[in-house]
Amino acid sequence: MQDERKSMLIVISGPSGVGKGTIYRRLLDNDPSLTFSVSVTTRTPRPDEIDGVHYYFISCEAYDELLNQDAFLEHADVHGNRYGTLKSQVDEKMAQGLSVVLDIDPQGARQVMSLRSDCVSIFLLPKSISQLRDRLYNRNTETPEVIERRVKNAKDEIAQRSMYQYAVVNDNLELAYDQVAAIITAEKQRTTRFFPEVE
Ligand code: ADP
Ligand code: 5GP
């Protein structure tokens, strides 16, 4: 029997600094059936970020142009910058049979959930707000003003967690990673995603 699965759209959200990137990068390293949807953003790149890998870094004018072209599956203003998921990124990768991970905020997640009701949605939580703040200061990629803005927004984001199917606390990284990987493993086994050829 050939064990083939339909590809999935996997939405991962959580406040800035909770560990979304850390966890999804490890998922991608360990599971070749997964790929990442590279978003566009008007945010300034961090020193270690590569255009086309972490984001497509674009101007506000180019972002408006994409909006006019209806190029986004979802888009939102987050922490004072603009972010969007390109339909082309998701559609082309899913057409290749890959499952696509979206690292997007709750505003975008809400849009995706209403358009793709079969998506898998996971919200990552910190143990506490102070843990989140510590992680952002330790990551050292934003100014204190930007960090405090993100921490302030975290409370609103966390309040929206109940719209997601799953919630995982990222306190111990190994445990959180295993829990997210287990969700994805289980989701792949849904009868609705399974089309075996029985001979
Ligand atoms: P996000 O993508 O959600 O903004 P990151 O993945 O960049 O968050 O993680 C923020 C910081 O916290 C990074 O420096 C990362 O190495 C660290 N980090 C992530 N998960 C843990 C964890 N469980 N314990 C300690 N540090 C963590
Ligand atoms: P960062 O600036 O730290 O990379 O991301 C800030 C926030 O924007 C995070 O909550 C992240 O999930 C969200 N984000 C990143 N890309 C997108 C996107 O394409 N759409 C939406 N709605 N949010 C995004």
Side-chain angles (χ1 to χ4, degrees):
M1 190 187 298
Q2 256 196 319
D3 184 2
E4 292 203 15
R5 314 285 158 156
K6 290 183 199 162
S7 53
M8 303 186 285
L9 192 55
I10 302 164
V11 174
I12 301 184
S13 299
S16 183
V18 73
K20 300 178 297 297
T22 305
I23 288 178
Y24 83 67
R25 279 192 285 274
R26 202 191 278 201
L27 288 169
L28 296 182
D29 285 346
N30 292 334
D31 184 344
S33 76
L34 301 180
T35 186
F36 181 63
S37 166
V38 181
S39 293
V40 304
T41 183
T42 61
R43 165 165 83 59
T44 309
R46 296 171 186 149
D48 63 337
E49 285 181 326
I50 302 165
D51 188 43
V53 174
H54 297 92
Y55 284 104
Y56 295 106
F57 295 98
I58 62 171
S59 64
C60 284
E61 293 71 27
Y63 187 98
D64 284 334
E65 185 61 28
L66 289 168
L67 264 181
N68 286 336
Q69 292 166 7
D70 194 26
F72 292 127
L73 175 63
E74 64 73 34
H75 60 91
D77 288 11
V78 191
H79 315 311
N81 294 299
R82 301 161 86 192
Y83 298 83
T85 301
L86 293 169
K87 288 178 187 168
S88 57
Q89 281 278 311
V90 172
D91 293 345
E92 284 163 22
K93 288 171 173 171
M94 289 188 83
Q96 294 165 26
L98 294 166
S99 289
V100 178
V101 175
L102 305 182
D103 170 353
I104 60 176
D105 89 307
Q107 302 169 76
R110 196 181 294 276
Q111 297 167 47
V112 173
M113 287 175 202
S114 72
L115 291 166
R116 308 276 175 111
S117 57
D118 62 342
C119 73
V120 178
S121 56
I122 305 170
F123 193 87
L124 292 182
L125 290 154
K127 186 179 69 174
S128 63
I129 295 291
S130 69
Q131 180 183 63
L132 202 59
R133 181 181 280 110
D134 288 349
R135 284 191 191 159
L136 286 170
Y137 277 100
N138 286 338
R139 190 172 72 184
N140 200 22
T141 50
E142 272 80 28
T143 62
E145 292 76 14
V146 172
I147 290 176
E148 292 305 328
R149 178 174 191 170
R150 288 175 174 233
V151 170
K152 187 165 167 283
N153 291 341
K155 291 174 191 160
D156 278 349
E157 292 172 331
I158 291 169
Q160 297 179 63
R161 67 187 180 279
S162 59
M163 75 174 165
Y164 293 77
Q165 295 164 315
Y166 299 97
V168 170
V169 176
N170 179 22
D171 181 17
N172 177 304
L173 180 59
E174 299 307 316
L175 180 60
Y177 169 76
D178 285 347
Q179 289 172 338
V180 174
I183 291 165
I184 292 173
T185 300
E187 284 286 342
K188 282 184 187 173
Q189 322 309 317
R190 280 191 188 274
T191 49
T192 49
R193 302 195 207 278
F194 185 55
F195 45 111
E197 292 298 325
V198 184
E199 297 183 2

